Amino acid sequence: MHALGIDIGSTATKAVVLDGDAQIVSSVIIRLGAGTSGVAKALAALEENCGLSSDDIDFTVATGYGRQTYEGADAQVSELSCHARGVAYRMPTARTLIDIGGQDAKVIRIDENGMMSNFVMNEKCAAGTGRFLDVMAGVLEATVDQLGDLDAASTEAVEISSTCTVFAESEVISRLANKVPIENIVAGIHESVAQRTAGLAKRLGVKDDVVMTGGVAQNAGVVHALERVLHVNITIPDNPQINGALGAALYALDKAKRVQKNA
Ligand code: ADP
């Protein structure tokens, strides 16, 4: 038995295949989001990785911003539910989940049964999201993958006072023109993302264990800044960007088993 979860995000498409024992058979991340060839490329990559075509998949659940656009899915489940499910499966003691993706940041409370009990979300503004970091990395002629190491080499965090992405971009350009070291600018950018995320988290209340997922969880600079601002330890699961797709695959596996039982 095989179940597929596919998370069609704003900037990246993630897919996870599980076997009948809920073990990950394969996972892929394609840096193309909703409205692109991301889904087709993810499916092709899965087939190449594990030789499974769509005919071998018993049930598919789509989630993420672009989930409505994929007609090949058997069902759709909200991102919030999939993220909670993915984390509860891998980290049963998680009670607060911070997910920062390309287009939004969310903080989810997970109860003792592994179910989402509450959430807060920023989806109105690019500040505090992966998009903010993508734009800033572009100005600094770096890639998002390099931001964590740059931050680690900083000596101080330069204040980025504008919360608006466009104004913050101008601020970064002016710091660069004033020869402020890139590392210190990066630390300031991370501090700004951490402050915004912390504001969101405090609205919900932060309860241990705190786990972070989404593409931005791979940026140690943001994670450490958030730990300092919130005064908590944050755990990052393996491959944090596939968490929503994993949750979707777990929902797909439930369905596949139910269908098999009723057959
Ligand atoms: P979405 O589901 O909205 O597409 P993701 O959870 O896939 O969002 O996260 C995408 C964001 O993650 C990007 O905007 C980028 O800033 C960040 N990101 C992706 N890969 C990395 C990486 N290797 N290191 C740091 N940040 C990354």
Side-chain angles (χ1 to χ4, degrees):
M1 177 179 287
H2 291 101
L4 170 65
I6 187 151
D7 177 3
I8 309 165
S10 61
T11 62
T13 302
K14 287 76 64 178
V16 170
V17 176
L18 294 176
D19 65 17
D21 297 322
Q23 297 302 308
I24 296 178
V25 175
S26 184
S27 68
V28 294
I29 299 173
I30 304 289
R31 283 191 172 182
L32 289 167
T36 69
S37 59
V39 173
K41 290 202 165 96
L43 296 175
L46 282 178
E47 190 164 353
E48 205 179 309
N49 285 359
C50 58
L52 292 172
S53 73
S54 47
D55 292 343
D56 304 308
I57 303 293
D58 296 278
F59 206 93
T60 300
V61 166
T63 189
Y65 172 70
R67 65 181 179 274
Q68 318 279 1
T69 59
Y70 177 45
E71 288 169 0
D74 299 300
Q76 293 154 358
V77 176
S78 87
E79 264 182 280
L80 291 163
S81 301
C82 288
H83 279 291
R85 182 89 194 259
V87 160
Y89 180 69
R90 296 200 278 182
M91 299 188 158
T93 55
R95 294 293 170 265
T96 307
L97 168 62
I98 298 170
D99 181 277
I100 309 183
Q103 184 166 270
D104 61 33
K106 31 192 178 285
V107 184
I108 302 173
R109 163 63 30 75
I110 300 170
D111 68 19
E112 286 70 15
N113 301 315
M115 303 301 288
M116 176 180 72
S117 58
N118 203 356
F119 75 95
V120 283
M121 197 160 169
N122 159 29
E123 52 183 342
K124 298 269 184 289
C125 171
T129 70
R131 181 79 193 126
F132 181 83
L133 293 162
D134 296 343
V135 169
M136 297 308 154
V139 176
L140 298 170
E141 296 184 68
T143 62
V144 282
D145 322 47
Q146 296 169 330
L147 295 179
D149 286 344
L150 285 167
D151 185 316
S154 65
T155 50
E156 60 171 328
V158 165
E159 193 190 346
I160 306 292
S161 54
S162 310
T163 44
C164 166
T165 306
V166 177
F167 291 142
E169 189 180 3
S170 310
E171 224 178 311
V172 167
I173 291 168
S174 110
R175 301 281 191 193
L176 280 174
N178 288 324
K179 306 266 181 262
V180 174
I182 284 187
E183 293 82 357
N184 294 353
I185 298 175
V186 169
I189 290 167
H190 290 164
E191 183 69 26
S192 146
V193 171
Q195 290 290 354
R196 281 201 70 102
T197 312
L200 208 59
K202 283 176 186 163
R203 270 166 49 199
L204 189 74
V206 178
K207 197 171 166 192
D208 281 338
D209 294 343
V210 184
V211 173
M212 187 169 162
T213 59
V216 177
Q218 296 166 106
N219 180 336
V222 172
V223 177
H224 292 146
L226 205 44
E227 287 185 319
R228 281 194 303 274
V229 177
L230 288 175
H231 306 288
V232 292
N233 286 321
I234 298 178
T235 311
I236 314 293
D238 283 345
N239 213 347
Q241 201 171 358
I242 63 156
N243 185 60
L246 171 63
L250 288 163
Y251 279 110
L253 186 59
D254 290 346
K255 288 276 195 182
K257 285 185 173 165
R258 228 170 288 151
V259 169
Q260 192 185 56
K261 209 169 138 191
N262 295 335

